[in-house]
Amino acid sequence: MWKKKTTIAALSTLLLAGALPAGTNAAVVTKSVQAFYHDIKIRYNGVVVPTTTEPFIIDGTTYVPLRMVSTLFNKNVGWDGTTYTIDITDIPDSRIAALEAQIANKDSQIKSLEQQLQSARNRISALEDEQDDEDDVEERINDLEDDLNDDYEDYFEDLELAVKLDGDEDEIEAEIRVDLGEYKDEWEALSDSDIEELVEDFVNDIWDEFEDADVDGVIYDTDGRKDLYDFEGDASKEEIFLDGDEIE
């Protein structure tokens, strides 16, 4: 490996005097320096980088081509001869732009998923509220059924009745049950007005708890397993029907 020493005339900025603009007002100073060339190589990430301008050493400082080194670091280099300024700027990296676009797309997807998740949570909350309401209505119907069984068990003397309710707050399905195998004589002794009064009192008791519920019911013989009477209650009109005829 050989070493060479060269004396060169340079500006203090290491720019050749001939490269300076003639019209500048700044004082131009020249001086002779000794530059040492020692076959200096530039290695970037372990790979030797070729350069058309060989690096050199002056007073223990190694000088390398700025433009070549800036390119390695993805920079632009410009020379402003008016102000004697070297401008170094970033070179836009298309990979960064692509990554930023991907990130923006992912952010959009995340936002959409978050909105879907919130919508699902709102739906679940609404369903839970509906279920709570349904549970509350079911509990009220069960409580009313218990109360009606207590009230109507001895509605007629020597004749036991039972009540079964189902439905919701808009429509109640009802059964008044009687065992004619045990109470046939007592049942047959009832008059039409007795049956009408029974149905009227029964529907009104339901409306006391569910005033907007229509009532669809039967009087059912548990022994013969058949319907004895049909009755209805129209809540909006406050009308009660027994076998299709309105009870006056």
Side-chain angles (χ1 to χ4, degrees), residues 79-248:
W79 168 250
D80 187 343
T82 303
T83 61
Y84 287 82
T85 303
I86 298 171
D87 289 317
I88 302 175
T89 57
D90 293 326
I91 297 176
D93 192 334
S94 60
R95 296 172 300 175
I96 293 177
L99 289 174
E100 289 176 343
Q102 292 179 24
I103 291 172
N105 183 51
K106 295 297 183 183
D107 288 342
S108 177
Q109 292 179 15
I110 290 172
K111 184 176 180 179
S112 176
L113 290 173
E114 287 176 341
Q115 292 174 343
Q116 293 178 37
L117 179 60
Q118 185 59 48
S119 177
R121 286 173 175 167
N122 292 340
R123 179 58 180 160
I124 290 173
S125 178
L127 290 173
E128 288 175 344
D129 290 342
E130 289 178 9
Q131 185 62 50
D132 290 341
D133 291 342
E134 290 177 2
D135 292 343
D136 180 60
V137 170
E138 182 177 0
E139 183 176 353
R140 289 170 59 199
I141 290 176
N142 290 336
D143 290 343
L144 178 59
E145 180 181 285
D146 291 339
D147 292 340
L148 293 178
N149 272 304
D150 291 339
D151 293 341
Y152 285 83
E153 180 179 11
D154 298 322
Y155 185 86
F156 295 116
E157 186 177 356
D158 299 325
L159 175 59
E160 184 174 327
L161 301 176
V163 172
K164 178 64 178 177
L165 300 181
D166 198 2
D168 54 40
E169 57 188 347
D170 296 319
E171 182 174 1
I172 301 294
E173 297 176 358
E175 286 185 5
I176 300 175
R177 297 177 174 180
V178 57
D179 182 359
L180 295 189
E182 183 173 356
Y183 300 106
K184 182 178 180 180
D185 292 339
E186 291 83 354
W187 181 259
E188 291 180 347
L190 298 177
S191 65
D192 290 342
S193 60
D194 291 332
I195 303 299
E196 290 178 352
E197 184 177 355
L198 166 66
V199 170
E200 188 173 19
D201 289 345
F202 183 76
V203 172
N204 281 319
D205 284 341
I206 292 176
W207 282 343
D208 286 342
E209 180 65 28
F210 296 95
E211 60 181 353
D212 296 324
D214 291 330
V215 179
D216 184 12
V218 296
I219 299 177
Y220 181 72
D221 173 17
T222 57
D223 181 61
R225 297 184 180 180
K226 63 180 180 179
D227 296 341
L228 302 176
Y229 294 93
D230 295 324
F231 61 88
E232 297 176 358
D234 187 331
S236 63
K237 298 179 180 180
E238 297 184 352
E239 295 175 345
I240 301 173
F241 299 85
L242 178 63
D243 279 347
D245 296 325
E246 183 179 357
I247 298 176
E248 301 295 340

Side-chain angles (χ1 to χ4, degrees), residues 24-94:
T24 180
N25 294 325
V28 177
V29 180
T30 62
K31 66 179 180 178
S32 296
V33 297
Q34 287 186 329
F36 293 86
Y37 290 82
H38 200 282
D39 194 22
I40 299 171
K41 296 179 177 61
I42 299 174
R43 187 179 287 125
Y44 181 66
N45 288 335
V47 179
V48 175
V49 179
T51 175
T52 57
T53 303
E54 183 181 346
F56 55 85
I57 300 172
I58 297 177
D59 293 333
T61 300
T62 302
Y63 294 82
V64 297
L66 178 60
R67 189 177 302 280
M68 184 272 295
V69 174
S70 296
T71 300
L72 291 178
F73 294 100
N74 205 37
K75 306 293 181 182
N76 278 321
V77 177
W79 168 250
D80 187 343
T82 303
T83 61
Y84 287 82
T85 303
I86 298 171
D87 289 317
I88 302 175
T89 57
D90 293 326
I91 297 176
D93 192 334
S94 60

